[in-house]
Amino acid sequence: MSRIKTFNLPDLGEGLTEGEILAWLVKVGDTIELNQPIVEVETAKAAVEIPAKWAGQVQAIHHPEGTTVEVGTPIIAIDTDPGAGPLEALSTTATASGDLPTPSAASLAAVEVAPAEGMIEPGLIGGEAPGGRTAVLVGYGPRTTSAKRRPRKGAVPAPAAPAGVDHGVVVGHTPAPTPTIPAPQVNDRRGGASGGAVLAKPPVRKLAKDLGVDLATLTGSGPLGSITREDVQQAASGASVVVAEPITATTAPSFGADREQRIPVKGVRKLTAENMSRSAFTAPHVTEFLTVDVTRAMKALDRLRGRREWRDVRVSPLLLVAKAVLLAVQRHPMVNSTWAGDEIVVKEYVNLGIAAATERGLIVPNVKDAGRLSLRELADALTDLVQTAKSGRTSPAAMSGGTLTITNVGVFGVDTGTPILPPGESAILAFGAVREMPWVHKGKVKVRQITTLGLSFDHRIIDGELGSKFLRDVGDFLTDPEAALLAWT
C-alpha cells in the first residue's frame, strides 16, 4: 500500500461544486496530525478550515492560494509513514527487487530536457506557448522563425554578427547614435527679448512707435500673451505692467480602464447575487412600513441589563425585535411558510435568520428552532451568531434551512428599507435605527425613542391583511413588551 496519500477537496455540503483556496495552514515538509486544519477554503457560502484525513508529513501542495478548484480535485499529498525513510531510498530498494523506481517530484523538477533536433524552442512562433498552446500570429499559420521587428525609418541597421557570435551584444561594436530631434521653437510671449517675434496688432505697433516704447521689453496681457494698447500706454507713462498668468491647457478628463477597478464576483458575493436575483424575479414582493414608539422597550432593556444574572450577557434592541417576531409568528403561523408550487408548506419551527454584513459579502446564518429558546438562550445564540459571522467562520450548515429573517439596517444609521426575501422564505423584517424624535404621547408632544419597521413578504402566500396584522403585532410588542408578554403568553 502506498504511503503517499492524496487529499482531494471534499464536498462541503449543500451541493457546492468548487471552492477557492484562501490560505494554506501548512507547508511542504511540515509534520501534521490527524484532524489538524491544513487549508482554509472559501465556498459560495462561507470560509471553512478543512482538517487532515491522515497524520504524516506534507510532501506536495498542488494548488497555490487564490486558486479555485473543483470538488474532488487533489490539493495536497501527505506521506503517512515518514519514519520509514526517504522516498528515494524506497525507490532504490524497489529497483533491487525488480520493480521500477518511482522518481520523486523534486528529482523530476530538477531535470532539464533539451529540445530534440528539429524541435522549436519555446517562445518562438510555432513553439510551445503557456498552457500547452502553439504560439501563432493571429490570421497566420504556425511559423518556425523568431519574430522580427521592422527597423525604424532612418535607423542604421546593425551589421550582421559573424557565425558563432551571440545575437545579443556584439563585442567591439559601437551602436550608431540615435539622431536627436530638436525641440520645437516656442514663441516667447514676453516679446523679443529671447529673439522671438513680438505678438501685437499693427495699431498697437504704430502706437508703440509713436510713443517710443520698445515692444520687446513688454509683457503682454492680451490673449496668448499679446501686447495691447493698455500695455503700451502703461509703459509710456512709467507704470508697471501687469504680468498676465500664462495660459495652460487643461488636461481632458480620462474615463478609461486606468480609472476603473474590476472585482471578480465569486464565493459568497456570487451566491448572494444569484439568490437575490432569483428571489426578486420569482416571488412577488410587497413591503409595508410601521413607525413605532420604542421608549418603553429601551427602558426594559436597561432594567434587564441591571439584573445580576444578565450583567455578562450582550443585550441589544435586536434581542427584543427577535422575541417580538417569534411571538408574532405564533399568532400568525402562515408567515413562517414556503411556496412549493402546488402547495404551501407551513413550518412549525422557526429558524430565525439574521442578515450579517461581512468582508466577503452578505450572509444570513440562522438560529435553529429559535421559538423554543428562552430569552436568555436567545440572547446567547444571537451573540454567538454575530461573533462567528464577523470572524468569517460561519459554516454552511448554519446558513441553510432559514425560515424567517431579520435585517438590522439600523446599525448603519438607516431608518428602514425594502429588503429582498431570501429564497424559500415568505417574510423578512427590516429593523431601522432608534432615534429621539418628537412624538405625541398622552396628548402632549414629547421627545421619544422612535424606530421604523419594514416588512417585505411574498404576496403569493401573505396577503395585505395577514402582513399588516403580523407587522402590527411586532410593533405592539416593541411599544410595550411587558404588556404584550402578559397578554400573549
Side-chain angles (χ1 to χ4, degrees):
M1 181 180 295
S2 174
R3 55 187 267 192
I4 302 298
K5 301 291 186 182
T6 300
F7 186 87
N8 299 337
L9 180 65
D11 182 1
L12 301 175
E14 294 298 314
L16 302 175
T17 60
E18 64 181 16
E20 179 186 357
I21 297 177
L22 292 180
W24 282 105
L25 308 180
V26 296
K27 60 182 181 298
V28 175
D30 284 357
T31 300
I32 60 176
E33 300 178 354
L34 179 65
N35 292 328
Q36 174 183 336
I38 57 176
V39 64
E40 184 180 11
V41 176
E42 182 184 35
T43 67
K45 291 194 172 182
V48 295
E49 291 182 352
I50 300 179
K53 294 175 60 176
W54 310 282
Q57 188 179 57
V58 179
Q59 290 297 309
I61 291 177
H62 299 309
H63 300 281
E65 295 176 357
T67 306
T68 300
V69 296
E70 295 182 355
V71 171
T73 301
I75 59 174
I76 190 173
I78 301 174
D79 183 358
T80 57
D81 190 12
L87 295 176
E88 289 76 5
L90 291 179
S91 301
T92 305
T93 305
T95 305
S97 62
D99 296 332
L100 292 177
T102 303
S104 65
S107 62
L108 287 176
V111 177
E112 182 177 355
V113 181
E117 182 178 358
M119 292 182 62
I120 305 166
E121 296 184 11
L124 297 183
I125 300 173
E128 184 179 358
R133 297 174 284 105
T134 300
V136 298
L137 294 175
V138 177
Y140 298 88
R143 295 179 61 188
T144 58
T145 58
S146 59
K148 295 182 179 180
R149 181 176 294 176
R150 184 174 61 182
R152 297 179 179 176
K153 183 177 181 181
V156 180
V165 179
D166 186 7
H167 290 270
V169 178
V170 181
V171 179
H173 172 70
T174 302
T178 303
T180 303
I181 301 176
Q185 293 289 339
V186 179
N187 181 28
D188 190 344
R189 295 174 181 172
R190 295 175 298 179
S194 60
V198 177
L199 188 59
K201 296 180 179 180
V204 177
R205 292 178 183 274
K206 184 178 183 303
L207 177 63
K209 183 178 179 181
D210 294 341
L211 298 178
V213 176
D214 185 3
L215 293 178
T217 62
L218 302 183
T219 300
S221 61
L224 300 178
S226 62
I227 299 175
T228 65
R229 294 178 59 89
E230 290 75 12
D231 297 334
V232 175
Q233 291 171 350
Q234 287 180 4
S237 63
S240 59
V241 180
V242 179
V243 180
E245 291 292 335
I247 300 175
T248 57
T250 303
T251 305
S254 171
F255 303 102
D258 58 329
R259 297 181 62 191
E260 298 175 348
Q261 181 184 9
R262 295 183 179 270
I263 303 175
V265 179
K266 57 185 178 180
V268 175
R269 190 174 300 276
K270 182 178 181 180
L271 180 66
T272 301
E274 293 173 351
N275 287 342
M276 294 299 97
S277 298
R278 184 170 69 253
S279 176
F281 295 103
T282 301
H285 284 56
V286 173
T287 305
E288 293 184 338
F289 306 97
L290 178 64
T291 303
V292 294
D293 179 1
V294 294
T295 305
R296 287 187 178 181
M298 297 300 104
K299 291 180 178 179
L301 286 179
D302 291 337
R303 292 195 298 271
L304 193 61
R305 295 187 187 101
R307 298 185 64 87
R308 182 177 54 188
E309 61 270 25
W310 281 80
R311 289 176 183 174
D312 297 331
V313 182
R314 186 176 185 274
V315 179
S316 69
L318 179 62
L319 174 62
L320 287 187
V321 174
K323 188 63 177 179
V325 167
L326 294 173
L327 290 176
V329 166
Q330 293 179 7
R331 293 166 58 84
H332 310 284
M334 185 69 75
V335 172
N336 188 51
S337 58
T338 299
W339 181 269
D342 295 334
E343 57 186 4
I344 297 174
V345 180
V346 182
K347 300 173 182 179
E348 297 180 358
Y349 56 90
V350 181
N351 292 340
L352 185 63
I354 305 296
T358 69
E359 294 181 355
R360 297 187 177 95
L362 177 68
I363 63 174
V364 188
N366 59 78
V367 178
K368 305 298 183 184
D369 210 357
R372 292 180 176 270
L373 302 180
S374 66
L375 189 62
R376 172 61 186 268
E377 292 171 337
L378 182 61
D380 292 337
L382 291 176
T383 300
D384 181 68
L385 180 147
V386 172
Q387 291 178 349
T388 303
K390 288 183 177 179
S391 65
R393 304 299 178 187
T394 304
S395 66
M399 292 184 287
S400 62
T403 63
L404 189 64
T405 296
I406 299 173
T407 174
N408 186 9
V409 297
V411 296
F412 306 111
V414 176
D415 290 331
T416 190
T418 56
I420 297 178
L421 293 167
E425 299 182 20
S426 61
I428 178 173
L429 179 73
F431 173 41
V434 177
R435 304 182 186 278
E436 289 188 343
M437 298 179 64
W439 191 263
V440 178
H441 178 67
K442 296 182 180 180
K444 296 181 180 180
V445 177
K446 297 182 179 181
V447 176
R448 306 284 288 181
Q449 291 180 289
I450 308 300
T451 191
T452 301
L453 307 173
L455 178 69
S456 293
F457 51 86
D458 187 343
H459 213 359
R460 297 174 300 181
I461 303 174
I462 303 173
D463 56 23
E465 180 185 8
L466 176 59
S468 300
K469 288 182 177 179
F470 176 83
L471 184 58
R472 180 70 265 174
D473 280 355
V474 174
D476 286 346
F477 180 91
L478 295 177
T479 300
D480 193 345
E482 288 104 342
L485 285 174
L486 292 174
W488 299 347
T489 59

